[in-house]
Amino acid sequence: MRKFTTAIILVLMASLMVVGCSSGQGGGGDTIKIGWFGPLTGPTSTDGIHSRDAAQLAIDQVNKQGGVKGKKLELVAEDDQGKPEEALKAVQKLINNDRVVALIDGAYSGPSKTVAPKVQKAKIPMVAAYVVHPDVTKGGDYVNRVIYTGPVQGKAMADYAVNDLKKKNIAVLYVDIDYGKSIYGAFKEEVQKLGSKIAIDRPFNMGDKNFSSLLTAVKAKNPDALYVVGYYNEASAIVKQAKETGLNVQFLGVDGFDSPKYLELGQQNTEGSTFTTSFYGSDPREVVQQFVKEWKAKHQSEPDMLSSQSYDAAKVIIEALKKTGPDSKALAKAINETKDLEGTSGKITFGPDHEVIKPVIFMTVHDGKFQFVKSKIYK
Amino acid sequence: MLAQQLLNGIALGFTYILIAVGLTMIYGVLKLLHFAHGVIYTVGAFSAMIGILYLNMNFIVAILFGMIIAGIAGVLVERLAYRPLRGTHPITTLISGVGIAIFVESLFQAIFTSDPRGFPATGMKVEPIHITSSISLTNSKLYIIIVGLVCLLLLYAFLKWTKMGVAIQAVSQDMRAASLMGVNVNQVVAVTFFIGSALAALAGAFVAYDFNSLFPTMGSIPGLKAFCVVVLGGLGSIPGTIIGGLILGIVESLSEGYLTGMVIDKDAIAFVILILILLLKPSGLFGKQVEKV
């Protein structure tokens, strides 16, 4: 026991020293620090790691070209474990110890909602990469977002389902969190406005695996399409079990589908499912092709939607830094004035509500691969 | 639609039964709530996956392999986490079990990451079988029901007609008396853990195959629900566990199919049943009167 206690004390001392050293370098110097926080451990760690790597890629690119006004950029990444309280600690550390000039929010709704007001208060500009909860940008001028909020996707899919696919009677399964509810809310409103019906709507939980009972209830209503608002784990289980239940209708989805895992877990059942997202790797624009090439060289995999969003968030900050400098007020203003910035997820412009205006992309699964259908701007 | 929902419920119930039977047998011999049983289910699913991916086994061999590995894991858990604590306060062994569960889950997350992965292709496709025009069942669910029934029959025969089976029954009636009669208690406990763990592994591997998904924390909710099933049926009672499993499966399936906007989560139904049964009939549906604790 004694030995164990000694070991713990040693570890604590060592960690104190490490922390001490890093805070010693804070501020000044030849580098400009940009903070990043998001889940690097825990159940959503894959998303967090991709997001951090993408932000790092953007920063490496600009450093290779000589940095910003002669100064190199440095990304300081902190783990929030997917928890609001850890995110708060991470952000406080980034602001107070590391003295970052701007923050990239690589986290999900819970942590982002908690952190946004504090960031606003500290007057440090922040760009949210992939969180879709509407509240995040409500605080003021210092928080912007490069992904569109849930309702935009819902509206876009309603337009596509009713006007392009001529669906009259649409069943909806949505994940019972803000993400699912906000997208479905807008979808329902728009579908009814366009004159079609919602056949049945049912919520489900993150982590559910068995959908046979829900799908039996859906099938009994004879819908002509099934809109699933959720992430790839549940979506792939739903698409698979729907085919097994004998429900052979058009599958519609959201950007939560946009992961190679969707194809892996859902197998051939995913064929023909169409969803909205904000990035596709086969986009011929140069900025996308360069991003995809460098990502592949470094990580031996295809970049996903989250990576693209995080890359764009970093890019927004970098471009603003190039225009002004590390002064936080001027930087926030420059970020807000971003217009037609060539991002990997389309031309990025911010509206007066600090939300992005860029095209919604429709993708479908064909021959076991994601393929581009069309893109359209919705406001 | 009702028939279809009942069928869904029965298939779900059989996975609960396969997990819960091990728990109830272990409670029978050791009077121990085995909280690490959920991770054994996970171990079974992952071992079957490894068998297919890396050892080139076919589906059936891989399932047997998963059962054996999980059985050995179960025996090890007993040997390392429970036996040194035998005779201490029950809460101590219970906490030891929780600790093992957390350790194994974290270990699996470190090795396999927390991402769900697909069950490797085996040439056995999951396909619907149409019983009537409106009622269908996937072949994988049908296998779960058939394999579950076969295993329960084999278990019954084992407990009834083999020497070891009778020894297990003797130990569950009275461990001290059995050991005084020359029964090797440690051996009986090890065999019980092996059988119980193998059955949980069977459920784990089939669920992973059916849903095409396995991940390190896959066993935690099924493990807890198996507890509810065991308490519902009566601790230590195998027939009670079977009925309890079917009840839970069917209730979950029907409530999800017919009720919308439920106040409680569907995963919480099992625990509501647990609370009700503890309030109304603490010994469970088929349990013996609660003895001195």
Side-chain angles (χ1 to χ4, degrees):
Chain A
M1 192 61 214
R2 185 100 159 263
K3 243 184 187 164
F4 185 64
T5 322
T6 326
I8 285 198
I9 291 176
L10 278 175
V11 170
L12 282 177
M13 280 169 62
S15 53
L16 268 178
M17 277 168 66
V18 173
V19 174
C21 292
S22 60
S23 64
Q25 302 168 347
D30 290 334
T31 58
I32 299 175
K33 288 186 180 176
I34 296 175
W36 177 96
F37 68 95
L40 295 175
T41 55
T44 48
S45 57
T46 315
D47 298 337
I49 290 167
H50 283 178
S51 166
R52 180 200 57 191
D53 291 348
Q56 186 69 53
L57 188 70
I59 285 180
D60 289 347
Q61 279 180 355
V62 74
N63 280 342
K64 224 180 281 167
Q65 295 157 7
V68 173
K69 295 181 179 161
K71 286 191 175 186
K72 296 269 182 207
L73 299 185
E74 183 190 341
L75 187 75
V76 189
E78 285 292 325
D79 182 13
D80 74 359
Q81 302 170 22
K83 297 174 189 159
E85 64 277 13
E86 293 296 329
L88 204 53
K89 272 191 239 167
V91 165
Q92 274 161 353
K93 180 191 167 272
L94 290 169
I95 294 176
N96 297 330
N97 292 356
D98 297 312
R99 309 222 163 267
V100 297
V101 299
L103 284 163
I104 299 166
D105 171 0
Y108 275 105
S109 293
S112 303
K113 269 190 325 192
T114 311
V115 161
K118 307 281 171 197
V119 173
Q120 175 67 33
K121 216 168 149 192
K123 298 199 188 309
I124 299 292
M126 177 165 95
V127 179
Y130 60 83
V131 54
V132 295
H133 195 281
D135 285 357
V136 174
T137 51
K138 292 271 178 336
D141 292 339
Y142 284 85
V143 183
N144 283 48
R145 153 161 50 204
V146 291
I147 192 165
Y148 26 69
T149 53
V152 177
Q153 277 195 64
K155 217 171 135 185
M157 187 47 92
D159 170 53
Y160 182 71
V162 177
N163 290 335
D164 291 30
L165 298 176
K166 311 285 177 219
K167 298 295 176 191
K168 297 270 168 249
N169 199 25
I170 305 167
V172 182
L173 296 176
Y174 61 97
V175 57
D176 202 5
I177 53 174
D178 289 332
Y179 176 74
K181 285 185 278 196
S182 65
I183 295 178
Y184 172 50
F187 178 79
K188 185 178 180 182
E189 197 179 306
E190 191 72 10
V191 161
Q192 287 168 347
K193 207 158 81 189
L194 296 172
S196 285
K197 264 192 354 205
I198 302 288
I200 178 174
D201 61 342
R202 290 291 178 87
F204 61 86
N205 290 323
M206 293 275 282
D208 279 359
K209 290 284 161 206
N210 190 348
F211 297 94
S212 47
S213 301
L214 274 184
L215 289 165
T216 305
V218 168
K219 197 183 162 199
K221 298 282 181 189
N222 279 323
D224 55 8
L226 175 58
Y227 186 36
V228 178
V229 188
Y231 297 104
Y232 53 85
N233 280 330
E234 292 79 25
S236 56
I238 291 173
V239 69
K240 179 170 177 295
Q241 290 171 32
K243 293 272 151 71
E244 290 163 9
T245 320
L247 184 67
N248 289 310
V249 296
Q250 171 69 48
F251 252 77
L252 304 169
V254 287
D255 59 2
F257 283 39
D258 197 358
S259 159
K261 280 271 171 195
Y262 175 63
L263 301 175
E264 183 195 328
L265 298 174
Q267 299 163 316
Q268 70 283 2
N269 304 304
T270 58
E271 199 68 17
S273 46
T274 300
F275 59 89
T276 48
T277 187
S278 45
F279 167 74
Y280 64 111
S282 50
D283 189 336
R285 288 182 304 132
E286 197 201 329
V287 53
V288 177
Q289 285 318 310
Q290 199 190 351
F291 169 63
V292 172
K293 203 176 92 195
E294 292 191 20
W295 180 276
K296 273 189 186 160
K298 211 165 168 187
H299 303 289
Q300 286 81 44
S301 65
E302 297 277 340
D304 56 8
M305 186 273 296
L306 293 180
S307 317
S308 136
Q309 294 303 315
S310 307
Y311 177 87
D312 286 356
K315 197 116 195 229
V316 164
I317 293 177
I318 291 167
E319 291 305 318
L321 270 173
K322 279 184 188 164
K323 272 187 239 158
T324 58
D327 174 63
S328 74
K329 199 171 172 193
L331 188 60
K333 189 158 175 280
I335 290 175
N336 279 318
E337 284 166 357
T338 302
K339 197 169 184 311
D340 291 336
L341 170 68
E342 280 283 355
T344 54
S345 59
K347 279 193 175 138
I348 295 172
T349 303
F350 287 119
D353 53 354
H354 311 290
E355 301 289 358
V356 71
I357 300 166
K358 65 178 180 183
V360 174
I361 291 162
F362 291 82
M363 299 290 283
T364 190
V365 181
H366 188 64
D367 295 334
K369 280 194 212 102
F370 291 135
Q371 313 234 338
F372 177 72
V373 181
K374 69 166 199 172
S375 74
K376 186 172 170 185
I377 292 185
Y378 294 87
K379 277 186 190 166
Chain B
M1 183 167 143
L2 178 66
Q4 175 72 65
Q5 296 290 21
L6 283 175
L7 199 56
N8 291 342
I10 291 170
L12 183 61
F14 262 91
T15 62
Y16 292 149
I17 292 170
L18 284 175
I19 311 170
V21 160
L23 274 181
T24 205
M25 285 173 65
I26 289 165
Y27 181 83
V29 295
L30 280 184
K31 306 287 173 282
L32 161 80
L33 292 176
H34 175 31
F35 261 93
H37 204 54
V39 299
I40 297 293
Y41 165 94
T42 316
V43 169
F46 275 83
S47 308
M49 173 200 81
I50 287 169
I52 293 170
L53 272 188
Y54 300 106
L55 306 172
N56 291 321
M57 295 174 174
N58 72 29
F59 182 72
I60 294 170
V61 179
I63 296 262
L64 289 174
F65 174 72
M67 288 171 74
I68 291 169
I69 296 289
I72 294 170
V75 173
L76 281 177
V77 168
E78 191 275 324
R79 184 72 192 80
L80 300 174
Y82 295 146
R83 197 179 297 175
L85 298 171
R86 203 180 287 166
T88 57
H89 195 275
I91 214 86
T92 320
T93 42
L94 193 144
I95 290 171
S96 180
V98 174
I100 291 280
I102 295 173
F103 172 76
V104 176
E105 257 177 27
S106 310
L107 181 71
F108 271 52
Q109 286 190 357
I111 302 174
F112 298 106
T113 75
S114 49
D115 275 351
R117 53 182 68 212
F119 197 76
T122 53
M124 304 234 324
K125 266 171 85 177
V126 178
E127 274 164 351
I129 302 167
H130 294 279
I131 299 168
T132 67
S133 59
S134 63
I135 302 173
S136 66
L137 186 72
T138 59
N139 52 356
S140 52
K141 290 205 168 69
L142 188 65
Y143 299 151
I144 292 178
I145 296 178
I146 293 171
V147 170
L149 278 174
V150 169
C151 284
L152 290 175
L153 284 176
L154 286 176
L155 183 67
Y156 179 79
F158 173 77
L159 290 175
K160 196 90 182 173
W161 290 308
T162 65
K163 221 172 159 186
M164 182 47 88
V166 174
I168 290 177
Q169 291 194 52
V171 172
S172 42
Q173 279 168 14
D174 190 327
M175 186 191 266
R176 255 190 84 205
S179 85
L180 290 173
M181 294 299 126
V183 174
N184 182 343
V185 171
N186 282 339
Q187 199 188 2
V188 164
V189 169
V191 169
T192 308
F193 266 85
F194 189 88
I195 295 173
S197 303
L199 291 178
L202 184 68
F206 264 105
V207 168
Y209 159 64
D210 183 24
F211 293 158
N212 190 36
S213 162
L214 59 169
F215 50 101
T217 51
M218 65 186 282
S220 60
I221 291 285
L224 287 175
K225 283 187 183 169
F227 261 107
C228 303
V229 167
V230 168
V231 175
L232 174 63
L235 283 162
S237 159
I238 294 178
T241 301
I242 296 169
I243 302 293
L246 288 176
I247 291 178
L248 182 61
I250 290 171
V251 167
E252 281 193 350
S253 176
L254 290 184
S255 64
E256 196 176 19
Y258 289 103
L259 304 177
T260 39
M262 269 189 298
V263 187
I264 55 161
D265 190 277
K266 89 169 186 314
D267 281 336
I269 293 171
F271 306 104
V272 172
I273 293 179
L274 176 72
I275 293 168
L276 285 179
I277 203 85
L278 286 176
L279 285 174
L280 300 175
K281 196 170 187 303
S283 55
L285 296 177
F286 289 75
K288 289 168 246 146
Q289 278 307 310
V290 180
E291 300 157 39
K292 58 190 186 300
V293 180

